[in-house]
Amino acid sequence: MCWVFTGMVNCEDLAKIFQKNGLNFFSGVPDSTFKGWTSFLDQNPDLEHIIAVNECEAISMAAGYHLATGKIGVVYMQNSGEGDIVNPLTSLCDREVYSIPLIMMIGWRGEPGKKDEPQHKKMGKMTLELLDVLGVPYKVIQESLSEVEKSISELEGIARRENIPVAMIIQEGLIEDYTAGKESMKLEMNREAAIKRIVDNISDKDIVISTTGKTSRELFEYRRLKGQATMDFYTVGSMGCSSSIGFLVARKKPEQRVFVFDGDGAALMQLGSFATIGHYKPKNFYHIIFDNNSYDSTGGQPTVSETVDFEKIALACGYKHTKTVEKSSELESFIKNIDSHRGPTLLVIKVNKGSRKDLGRPDKTPIENKKMFMDFLKSLKS
C-alpha cells in the first residue's frame, strides 16, 4: 500500500501525532532527510529516546520494548539501513517467527527522479521493492499535517492488529529542521583542521582510506589543493566499513603505512571490526577517529561517544597502542613520531562538530576513485 503526499510538518506537531497514537518510544540512526527529528527527540523529555549505533540494534530494542510493555516502538533510519535490518525483520519480528509489531520511519535517499549522491542510487530504486519482498506494509508520506496524522494512525492500527512491522517512507522536505539547544564542545580543532595537520605530516607514499560523509569531502578538498587528489580511497556510503577496508589493504601492503580516517558514529556502527583488527595485528595499520560526539554528515545529531572510551576498547581488542589528543601540537607530535608506535594503533582526536558551508564533493565517480586508488597501490612497493 502506498500513498504519496507533498508538504511540511514541524517536529512538535509530529511528536503530538505519535503520542496521540500511543507511540512514545524511539530509537535509530539519523538521516538528513529528517535531520532535525533526532535532535528534537534528544531534547524532549516526554518521549523515550535511545540513540542506537546501528539499525539492527534499534530494531532489536524496539522488539525488547514490545516484549516488556506490549506497546509499539518507532525505529528511524536512512533507507541504506534497510539492508541492515533484513535479518531482525525476517528472523525476529516476522509474523512467522515472534510476530513483533513496530513502525519504521525510513528516509528515502536516492528517490528515483531526484538528484542524490551515487551511493544512494541503488537503494533508492529498491526501497519500496525491498519492503514488498519482506512483506512490510508501508506508506510514502509527504503532505499536510492532517494526512500525516491519518497515515500514522492507519500504520499503527495495522501494526497493532496484525502484530507486524510497518513502515512510513519520509521524502525530502516533509519534516522541518530543529535546532537543539545543547552547547557544542569548545575545542581547539575542528575535523578539517585536524585532517590538514595529519596530511601535512605524512608521506605521499602513505595510504589513506577515509570514512563516508564530510570526512572524505574535507580530505578530498585538501588533497586537491595540494595536487594529490588521486591518492586516497574516499568511502561513499558503507558507514563503518572503512576500518575493515583499510585492514585488508594493510595486510596486502605490509611495507606501507595505512591510515584510516574514521568518525565516532561510523566506528560505533561497526565496533566489531576492532576485534578482528586487534586479533590479526597489522603492524602498519593506524586507525584515526575524529570524535565530535555527532553524526555530522546528517545534521549533527548526537552519538553516544561521549560515554565511550575508544582507547580501552581498542586495547581490550588487541590494538598495540592508543592515544587521545585535543590540541594540534599533540596531534602533530604524535603523527611525526608514529613509527615508534607500531600498529595496530588507535588515535582519537577530539574535535568540534560542524563544517564549512561551502564544502565541496569529490569530482570523480566512485568507480574513477577506485581505479585511481588501485593504480596508486600498484605503484607502491609490495
Side-chain angles (χ1 to χ4, degrees):
M1 55 186 71
C2 172
W3 296 354
V4 180
F5 308 122
T6 57
M8 184 170 283
V9 177
N10 65 50
C11 292
E12 290 83 357
D13 288 337
L14 182 60
K16 290 177 182 177
I17 294 172
F18 279 126
Q19 288 178 298
K20 183 179 178 180
N21 286 277
L23 302 168
N24 296 288
F25 175 83
F26 299 82
S27 183
V29 178
D31 176 35
S32 58
T33 303
F34 44 85
K35 61 184 180 180
W37 177 243
T38 316
S39 298
F40 173 82
L41 287 173
D42 206 46
Q43 297 290 307
N44 193 322
D46 294 329
L47 299 172
E48 184 176 3
H49 178 219
I50 296 182
I51 302 168
V53 299
N54 60 54
E55 297 85 357
C56 181
E57 180 195 29
I59 294 289
S60 303
M61 285 194 287
Y65 174 76
H66 175 71
L67 292 173
T69 67
K71 298 179 181 180
I72 297 173
V74 180
V75 175
Y76 57 86
M77 69 188 77
Q78 186 182 103
N79 55 344
S80 60
E82 280 190 55
D84 192 40
I85 62 174
V86 169
N87 181 48
L89 283 183
T90 57
S91 63
L92 174 65
C93 301
D94 191 80
R95 68 171 81 230
E96 295 186 53
V97 189
Y98 291 106
S99 196
I100 293 176
L102 60 90
I103 295 178
M104 292 176 288
M105 184 176 176
I106 302 174
W108 198 355
R109 296 298 303 272
E111 182 181 352
K114 294 186 178 181
K115 185 178 180 180
D116 211 327
E117 299 307 307
Q119 67 267 30
H120 299 298
K121 290 182 179 180
K122 185 69 172 184
M123 186 56 77
K125 294 176 182 178
M126 61 185 292
T127 292
L128 305 184
E129 294 178 1
L130 181 55
L131 292 173
D132 287 332
V133 170
L134 294 170
V136 175
Y138 61 85
K139 295 182 184 294
V140 181
I141 302 180
Q142 190 177 24
E143 225 310 282
S144 65
L145 186 63
S146 61
E147 293 290 353
V148 172
E149 183 171 9
K150 177 182 177 183
S151 298
I152 291 176
S153 177
E154 292 190 1
L155 285 169
E156 189 278 333
I158 295 169
R160 176 171 38 81
R161 289 191 305 271
E162 301 185 29
N163 285 305
I164 58 172
V166 298
M168 49 191 296
I169 311 301
I170 309 298
Q171 294 175 295
E172 189 73 38
L174 172 67
I175 302 174
E176 291 181 357
D177 200 3
Y178 177 86
T179 302
K182 187 176 180 180
E183 285 290 323
S184 299
M185 294 183 293
K186 299 297 182 183
L187 299 169
E188 180 183 321
M189 294 182 289
N190 60 17
R191 183 185 50 249
E192 186 169 19
I195 288 173
K196 290 179 178 180
R197 183 75 64 163
I198 296 168
V199 169
D200 286 344
N201 285 281
I202 62 176
S203 164
D204 59 5
K205 300 298 184 182
D206 289 326
I207 299 167
V208 180
I209 292 96
S210 56
T211 190
T212 187
K214 293 183 178 179
T215 301
S216 283
R217 293 166 63 183
E218 289 166 346
L219 173 61
F220 171 80
E221 287 215 339
Y222 193 52
R223 287 294 205 185
R224 181 170 58 181
L225 182 66
K226 293 171 68 70
Q228 302 172 332
T230 63
M231 298 174 63
D232 311 314
F233 186 79
Y234 307 108
T235 310
V236 297
S238 308
M239 185 172 170
C241 295
S242 294
S243 59
S244 297
I245 295 170
F247 162 54
L248 257 295
V249 172
R251 279 177 65 88
K252 297 304 177 183
K253 292 291 180 179
E255 300 302 317
Q256 261 65 47
R257 300 188 302 185
V258 176
F259 293 85
V260 171
F261 288 6
D262 217 344
D264 51 295
L268 289 168
M269 180 170 278
Q270 300 293 347
L271 201 57
S273 63
F274 279 59
T276 304
I277 293 164
H279 178 79
Y280 288 98
K281 293 179 173 51
K283 294 179 179 180
N284 57 331
F285 182 86
Y286 301 94
H287 193 175
I288 300 176
I289 297 177
F290 301 96
D291 186 3
N292 56 13
N293 302 149
S294 72
Y295 293 104
D296 217 358
S297 295
T298 59
Q301 303 91 341
T303 69
V304 297
S305 71
E306 63 182 347
T307 56
V308 173
D309 191 328
F310 285 114
E311 283 196 70
K312 288 183 179 178
I313 291 171
L315 289 171
C317 287
Y319 279 57
K320 289 294 187 181
H321 301 280
T322 64
K323 178 74 172 179
T324 297
V325 300
E326 293 185 3
K327 298 183 181 300
S328 58
S329 58
E330 295 175 320
L331 171 58
E332 183 168 344
S333 176
F334 188 85
I335 296 298
K336 283 184 175 180
N337 296 285
I338 204 165
D339 281 337
S340 64
H341 302 295
R342 299 299 285 170
T345 292
L346 176 73
L347 174 63
V348 180
I349 307 173
K350 297 290 187 178
V351 294
N352 294 308
K353 75 176 185 178
S355 63
R356 288 185 288 111
K357 291 184 178 180
D358 62 346
L359 183 62
R361 296 179 183 275
D363 56 7
K364 304 297 182 183
T365 68
I367 293 176
E368 289 172 331
N369 176 224
K370 180 195 75 171
K371 184 179 185 303
M372 291 176 177
F373 180 71
M374 293 179 71
D375 288 343
F376 169 65
L377 294 187
K378 289 177 183 177
S379 72
L380 300 173
K381 181 180 177 181
S382 299

